[in-house]
C-alpha cells in the first residue's frame, strides 16, 4: 500500500478503518511536506468521536489550504464515518501530489526547472503503452475508463519499470 511505503509511524492494513482518526492522514501529509502539520493541534489518542473528527477536519483544512486540493463536500466527519468515496478523494489527491512532487524532484536533479504537467505524464504513459504494441491510451486523468484501465494488469505491467518486477 502506498501509505506504508512512505515509512510513517502507523502501519495501514485497512485503509478506511485506519484513517478514521485522522492521524494516518496527518502523518502522510507531514511526510509529503515536512513541517506542514502543527502537531500541537492534533489529538494523538483520540478515543472520542469528536476528537477523531477534529483530527480529520484538520487534515481536510490542510488539504484545501496548503495542498490546494479540490475537496468539495468533504468533511472530517465523512472520513470518521468511513465514507469510502470522500476518503478516497483525499487519499487520491495526496498520492498524486506525492508522485508529482517526486517526479519534479527528479526533473530538478536532471537540471530542468519547469514543473511537470499532467499532459507530460499522460503523454509518457501513452508512449509506454503504445511502444508495447497496445492501442490503449487515455486523454487525461479524468478519462472515464481510467479506473478500469488502471486495474488492467497488462497495461499496468507496461507502466512499471521492468527492474522493479519480480515474478
Amino acid at each position: 500500500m502506498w501509505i506504508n511505503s512512505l515509512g510513517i509511524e502507523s502501519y495501514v492494513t485497512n485503509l478506511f478503518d485506519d484513517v478514521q482518526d485522522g492521524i494516518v492522514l496527518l502523518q502522510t501529509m507531514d511526510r509529503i511536506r515536512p513541517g506542514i502539520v502543527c502537531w500541537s493541534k492534533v489529538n494523538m489518542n483520540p478515543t472520542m468521536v469528536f476528537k477523531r473528527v477534529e483530527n480529520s477536519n484538520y487534515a481536510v483544512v490542510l488539504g484545501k489550504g496548503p495542498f490546494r486540493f479540490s475537496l468539495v463536500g468533504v468533511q472530517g466527519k465523512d472520513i470518521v464515518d468511513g465514507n469510502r468515496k470522500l476518503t478516497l478523494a483525499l487519499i487520491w489527491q495526496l498520492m498524486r501530489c506525492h508522485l508529482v512532487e517526486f517526479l519534479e524532484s527528479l526533473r530538478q536533479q536532471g537540471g530542468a526547472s519547469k514543473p511537470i504537467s499532467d499532459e507530460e505524464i499522460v503523454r509518457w504513459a501513452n508512449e509506454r503503452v503504445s511502444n508495447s504494441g497496445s492501442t490503449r491510451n487515455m486523454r487525461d486523468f479524468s478519462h472515464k475508463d481510467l479506473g478500469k484501465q488502471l486495474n488492467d494488469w497488462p497495461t499496468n505491467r507496461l507502466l512499471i519499470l521492468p527492474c522493479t518486477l519480480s515474478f
Side-chain angles (χ1 to χ4, degrees):
M1 183 172 287
W2 166 74
I3 292 175
N4 292 334
S5 75
L6 299 175
I8 63 172
E9 293 174 36
S10 305
Y11 187 81
V12 176
T13 55
N14 181 311
L15 180 65
F16 302 105
D17 290 342
D18 294 345
V19 300
Q20 285 181 331
D21 64 6
I23 293 173
V24 169
L25 292 172
L26 293 167
Q27 288 173 343
T28 302
M29 290 175 157
D30 203 53
R31 180 57 58 121
I32 293 171
R33 294 203 183 145
I36 202 157
V37 175
C38 177
W39 289 103
S40 63
K41 294 182 178 182
V42 179
N43 301 292
M44 293 307 292
N45 295 308
T47 55
M48 294 180 273
V49 173
F50 77 93
K51 295 289 186 184
R52 293 192 296 263
V53 171
E54 281 181 359
N55 286 347
S56 298
N57 276 335
Y58 184 37
V60 171
V61 165
L62 290 175
K64 288 179 178 178
F67 282 96
R68 299 178 58 200
F69 294 160
S70 174
L71 295 169
V72 178
V74 179
Q75 299 176 13
K77 180 92 168 78
D78 299 314
I79 295 166
V80 172
D81 289 345
N83 183 312
R84 290 175 177 252
K85 186 174 187 175
L86 298 178
T87 300
L88 286 175
L90 177 57
I91 299 289
W92 161 245
Q93 290 179 80
L94 274 171
M95 204 163 88
R96 183 179 181 286
C97 173
H98 179 248
L99 174 65
V100 169
E101 287 182 3
F102 173 73
L103 292 173
E104 285 179 356
S105 74
L106 292 177
R107 177 177 258 192
Q108 287 173 356
Q109 288 175 7
S113 59
K114 188 177 99 177
I116 195 160
S117 67
D118 286 356
E119 292 80 21
E120 289 175 287
I121 296 169
V122 169
R123 186 174 44 246
W124 174 86
N126 284 336
E127 285 173 7
R128 294 276 301 186
V129 172
S130 176
N131 289 343
S132 74
S134 175
T135 59
R136 294 179 184 223
N137 66 20
M138 63 180 186
R139 285 188 318 272
D140 53 37
F141 286 113
S142 61
H143 192 277
K144 68 177 183 158
D145 291 330
L146 183 59
K148 284 188 256 179
Q149 289 178 356
L150 289 177
N151 287 323
D152 176 44
W153 167 244
T155 302
N156 269 337
R157 181 178 49 80
L158 300 170
L159 297 175
I160 300 171
L161 293 173
C163 61
T164 63
L165 295 177
S166 59
F167 295 97

